[in-house]
Amino acid sequence: MKLTSKGRYAVMALVDLARFDTINPVSLRDISLRQGISLDYLEQIFSKLKKNQIVKSTRGTQGGYVLSKKPNEIKLTNILNAVDEKVKTVQCKKESKKGCNGKATKCVTHNLWDELETHINTFFEKKSLQDLLKNNSERVN
Amino acid sequence: MKLTSKGRYAVMALVDLARFDTINPVSLRDISLRQGISLDYLEQIFSKLKKNQIVKSTRGTQGGYVLSKKPNEIKLTNILNAVDEKVKTVQCKKESKKGCNGKATKCVTHNLWDELETHINTFFEKKSLQDLLKNNSERVN
DNA sequence: TACATACCTGACTAAAATGGTCAAGTTTAG
DNA sequence: CTAAACTTGACCATTTTAGTCAGGTATGTA
Ligand code: FES
Ligand code: FES
């Protein structure tokens, strides 16, 4: 399973976006400055977020990014999947009958990792951007 | 957070051990063959497991490893910690007031990752080796 | 129309982590 | 005394990570 700064940055940036995109699109430069993330790296990340329809972009002066859905409709799963931070705990191909070691049968730990995967995914599916906003600004609706 | 083959192998090996150590100590070579894990790599892993009092060793011919506690007393947490696969999701030092980006305040995602950490640790604390045995051999007391 | 701003794309890379291997022991049952 | 098995530590190829860099292209505004 992976949880690296790419995923972390993606979430941070989107929380920032959710806070500030109410009037105008938010430029990556602003996010970069506010959150302390390299601009060039942000561009890579937002390129993926855009491909996955999590954000929309406007080019040109005064351009920037806007969320393409409401914060409560964007789940953490969506974000992490978008930037390729798939939660993958089992080693083998799940569909295959074969185990991770190439043997004919699933390994002794297969069920364990599978359970864990579900456990984590459930967590990410329940959490939305909205939850993070609430959590952090103490003031919501 | 990390979950790599070192942790995976550690768990596999210990399940194997739990099954076969009832009469004699089990040699790493046997585990290596049964589970398809490199012998040299297993040695690295067992060295750590021993330092953390999860297994005991007997040297010499017919030597090998034995669990140092009962399977139901060995939690997954213990195993993964022993091989340095700490579940660490927050980026910052938890005790510090500072955030992960060096700013004076915790970042907007701090609470999220902290919750996730708890969520995963709970899972690992509930699971013991015993559970895995049950799960896999269909026959237990 | 110029031009600054901001998105967009792809190649490149230093450093770290991963998943081992290799060599040279020491210990002890038989 | 010797073979099996643990012990230690150095070494290494490959992959991943976390970016940087160098060029674009689009567009609102002056
Ligand atoms: S993880 Fe699926 S068989 Fe080992
Ligand atoms: S993770 Fe703790 S401050 Fe960012």
Side-chain angles (χ1 to χ4, degrees):
Chain A
M1 117 135 221
K2 286 190 295 181
L3 179 57
T4 65
S5 30
K6 193 185 290 183
R8 235 183 276 274
Y9 286 165
V11 178
M12 284 175 72
L14 286 175
V15 171
D16 187 284
L17 200 55
R19 277 221 196 119
F20 292 98
D21 79 346
T22 43
I23 305 177
N24 294 313
V26 179
S27 74
L28 291 189
R29 197 173 53 79
D30 286 355
I31 299 180
S32 165
L33 291 174
R34 274 196 295 261
Q35 303 298 330
I37 306 170
S38 141
L39 176 59
D40 285 314
Y41 202 22
L42 271 180
E43 278 171 354
Q44 280 180 47
I45 293 170
F46 271 75
S47 148
K48 298 195 177 196
L49 291 175
K50 195 188 171 185
K51 271 190 198 119
N52 286 267
Q53 281 104 41
I54 292 172
V55 296
K56 286 181 295 190
S57 68
T58 322
R59 304 184 83 156
T61 319
Q62 306 292 5
Y65 288 91
V66 185
L67 293 180
S68 60
K69 299 179 212 163
K70 280 182 233 152
N72 66 326
E73 292 172 323
I74 302 179
K75 304 296 180 190
L76 269 281
T77 317
N78 307 140
I79 302 174
L80 295 174
N81 277 347
V83 295
D84 300 324
E85 304 252 298
K86 294 246 171 70
V87 174
K88 180 176 185 306
T89 52
V90 297
Q91 191 76 334
C92 59
K93 290 181 206 84
K94 246 194 225 175
E95 297 71 29
S96 158
K97 281 285 176 195
K98 284 192 171 181
C100 54
N101 42 17
K103 300 211 173 137
T105 161
K106 293 292 181 189
C107 79
V108 288
T109 56
H110 180 88
N111 289 339
L112 170 73
W113 305 126
D114 201 25
E115 262 186 76
L116 174 60
E117 195 168 311
T118 308
H119 194 248
I120 296 177
N121 279 328
T122 305
F123 179 86
F124 283 142
E125 266 154 34
K126 278 191 194 146
K127 288 273 172 200
S128 70
L129 261 192
Q130 180 72 50
D131 297 327
L132 294 187
L133 287 173
K134 221 182 304 182
N135 205 321
N136 214 263
S137 72
E138 227 63 319
R139 271 241 54 99
V140 136
N141 50 31
Chain B
M1 122 137 223
K2 286 190 296 182
L3 180 57
T4 65
S5 27
K6 192 182 293 184
R8 236 183 275 274
Y9 286 165
V11 178
M12 285 176 71
L14 286 175
V15 171
D16 187 284
L17 200 56
R19 277 221 194 119
F20 291 99
D21 79 348
T22 43
I23 306 176
N24 294 313
V26 180
S27 75
L28 291 189
R29 198 173 52 79
D30 286 356
I31 298 180
S32 165
L33 291 173
R34 276 196 294 262
Q35 304 297 330
I37 306 171
S38 143
L39 176 59
D40 285 313
Y41 203 23
L42 271 180
E43 279 170 351
Q44 281 181 48
I45 293 170
F46 271 75
S47 149
K48 299 194 176 197
L49 291 176
K50 195 190 170 185
K51 271 190 199 119
N52 287 268
Q53 281 104 40
I54 292 173
V55 296
K56 286 181 297 193
S57 67
T58 322
R59 303 184 82 156
T61 320
Q62 305 294 4
Y65 287 91
V66 186
L67 293 180
S68 60
K69 299 180 212 163
K70 280 182 232 149
N72 67 326
E73 292 171 324
I74 302 178
K75 303 297 179 190
L76 268 282
T77 318
N78 307 140
I79 303 175
L80 295 175
N81 278 345
V83 296
D84 300 323
E85 304 251 299
K86 293 248 172 65
V87 173
K88 179 177 185 308
T89 52
V90 296
Q91 191 76 334
C92 59
K93 291 182 206 80
K94 247 193 224 176
E95 297 71 29
S96 158
K97 283 284 175 192
K98 285 192 170 183
C100 53
N101 42 17
K103 299 210 174 138
T105 162
K106 294 291 181 190
C107 79
V108 288
T109 56
H110 179 88
N111 289 340
L112 170 72
W113 305 126
D114 200 26
E115 262 186 76
L116 174 61
E117 196 168 310
T118 308
H119 194 246
I120 296 177
N121 279 328
T122 305
F123 180 86
F124 282 142
E125 266 154 33
K126 278 192 195 147
K127 288 274 172 199
S128 70
L129 261 192
Q130 181 71 52
D131 296 328
L132 294 187
L133 287 173
K134 222 182 305 182
N135 205 321
N136 214 263
S137 72
E138 226 64 318
R139 271 242 55 98
V140 137
N141 48 31

